[in-house]
């Protein structure tokens, strides 16, 4: 799941200051993990510990209440609530945190069911659930087939959807997920995928995180990028990432 972290960190500096330079510095000054990493770690921890996705997300996000770039307004209120309930969101948060689900389960039907569970505790709008399911299934297909053509049915889920124009800040699943799928299909290797995602502009940390999650499933992750991203995480996140990768990414 280090692909999520790398994409998130690489895009973090450019979220509100987009670049169209493909050769941008991958870990630019001021780069850091954001809510994308925190929520992905929470989902991974839920899978490892057997906690519900809601319980784990609520606990981890309360531990880290002020990430770089901040949480969305509705999600912030969900975090602060003592009795959090889903709020019918179709935001891209459902898709950016689902990466671990695509690695942890060994049947497409189970991956889809778990992706829905991971989304609907907050993002229970049909488009929010659809985005989570699409990304998790894409990761599952890429890691099991190592063939980008295996995504054809998933891409077909978004026939008729228009991806956002370059530099347009679109935080919806229906904008970000088809864009991320398109970037994966264009990509040549892991670093190329991250560079294509971030230099496209818009919500760069989240698109980077979604693309990074999928890219890790089909490409080798360069060891220097892995080490640099891992070093930027708090120790308790390092523990979850290490345990999850030891169990599911081996």
């Amino acid at each position: 799941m280090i692909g999520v972290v790398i994409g998130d960190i690489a895009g973090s500096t450019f979220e509100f200051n987009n670049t169209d330079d493909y050769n941008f510095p991958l870990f630019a000054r001021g780069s850091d993990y954001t809510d994308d990493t925190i929520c992905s770690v929470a989902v991974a921890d839920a899978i490892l510990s057997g906690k519900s996705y809601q319980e784990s997300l609520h606990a981890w996000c309360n531990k880290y209440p002020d990430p770089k770039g901040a949480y969305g307004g509705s999600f912030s209120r969900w975090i602060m609530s003592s009795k959090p309930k889903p709020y019918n969101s179709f935001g891209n948060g459902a898709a950016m945190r689902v990466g671990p689900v695509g690695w942890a389960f060994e049947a497409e039907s189970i991956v889809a069911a778990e992706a829905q569970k991971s989304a609907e505790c907050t993002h229970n709008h049909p488009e929010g659930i659809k985005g989570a399911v699409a990304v998790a299934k894409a990761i599952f297909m890429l890691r099991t087939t190592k063939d980008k053509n295996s995504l054809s049915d998933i891409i077909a889920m978004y026939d008729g959807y228009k991806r956002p124009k370059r530099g347009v800040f679109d935080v919806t699943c229906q904008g970000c997920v088809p864009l991320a799928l398109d970037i994966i299909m264009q990509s040549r290797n892991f670093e190329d995928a991250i560079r294509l995602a971030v230099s496209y502009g818009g919500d760069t940390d989240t698109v980077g995180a979604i693309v990074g999650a999928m890219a890790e499933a089909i490409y080798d992750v360069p060891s220097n990028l892995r080490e640099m991203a891992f070093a930027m995480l708090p120790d308790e996140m390092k523990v979850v990432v290490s345990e999850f990768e030891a169990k599911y990414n081996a």
Side-chain angles (χ1 to χ4, degrees):
M1 59 173 288
I2 198 67
V4 174
V5 181
I6 295 170
D8 178 31
I9 293 173
S12 65
T13 299
F14 302 104
E15 181 180 11
F16 302 113
N17 184 29
N18 283 179
T19 181
D20 58 5
D21 181 4
Y22 175 87
N23 295 307
F24 68 92
L26 275 176
F27 295 93
R29 183 186 298 272
S31 296
D32 203 353
Y33 66 87
T34 77
D35 59 324
D36 302 61
T37 292
I38 297 167
C39 291
S40 296
V41 168
V43 168
D45 191 34
I47 294 168
L48 288 168
S49 67
K51 296 175 184 176
S52 71
Y53 295 112
Q54 174 177 303
E55 180 183 2
S56 189
L57 281 162
H58 200 252
W60 276 95
C61 293
N62 271 287
K63 281 185 182 181
Y64 296 90
D66 299 301
K68 182 178 178 66
Y71 296 108
S74 295
F75 189 66
S76 291
R77 290 188 288 274
W78 184 88
I79 294 168
M80 291 168 21
S81 173
S82 60
K83 296 181 179 179
K85 294 181 180 180
Y87 48 92
N88 200 39
S89 175
F90 49 77
N92 56 19
M96 59 81 160
R97 71 191 188 209
V98 78
V101 172
W103 285 97
F105 302 98
E106 294 303 324
E108 186 176 352
S109 60
I110 299 174
V111 168
E114 291 295 322
Q116 178 168 338
K117 288 180 188 176
S118 77
E120 63 189 3
C121 58
T122 53
H123 294 58
N124 58 333
H125 187 282
E127 290 288 353
I129 292 169
K130 178 178 179 177
V133 170
V135 172
K137 287 175 68 173
I139 292 167
F140 173 79
M141 295 304 297
L142 290 171
R143 75 174 176 86
T144 55
T145 69
K146 299 300 180 183
D147 181 3
K148 289 191 285 188
N149 291 324
S150 68
L151 301 184
S152 58
D153 287 346
I154 299 167
I155 292 170
M157 293 167 62
Y158 287 96
D159 280 350
Y161 286 65
K162 292 184 178 180
R163 72 181 191 179
K165 294 181 179 179
R166 284 187 173 275
V168 172
F169 199 82
D170 188 329
V171 297
T172 67
C173 275
Q174 52 267 48
C176 288
V177 174
L179 172 61
L181 289 165
D182 188 44
I183 288 170
I184 283 294
M185 294 303 292
Q186 295 178 41
S187 66
R188 297 166 294 172
N189 54 54
F190 181 85
E191 183 174 333
D192 180 54
I194 299 299
R195 290 189 175 280
L196 288 172
V198 175
S199 62
Y200 194 86
D203 192 4
T204 52
D205 61 325
T206 297
V207 176
I210 296 170
V211 168
M214 292 192 285
E216 181 187 7
I218 192 169
Y219 299 126
D220 291 332
V221 178
S223 58
N224 64 317
L225 300 186
R226 176 182 291 274
E227 291 164 7
M228 291 171 68
F230 189 78
M232 296 176 73
L233 297 179
D235 287 345
E236 61 182 347
M237 290 192 195
K238 291 178 182 177
V239 170
V240 173
V241 172
S242 295
E243 289 183 358
F244 188 88
E245 291 196 332
K247 187 169 184 178
Y248 296 113
N249 290 46

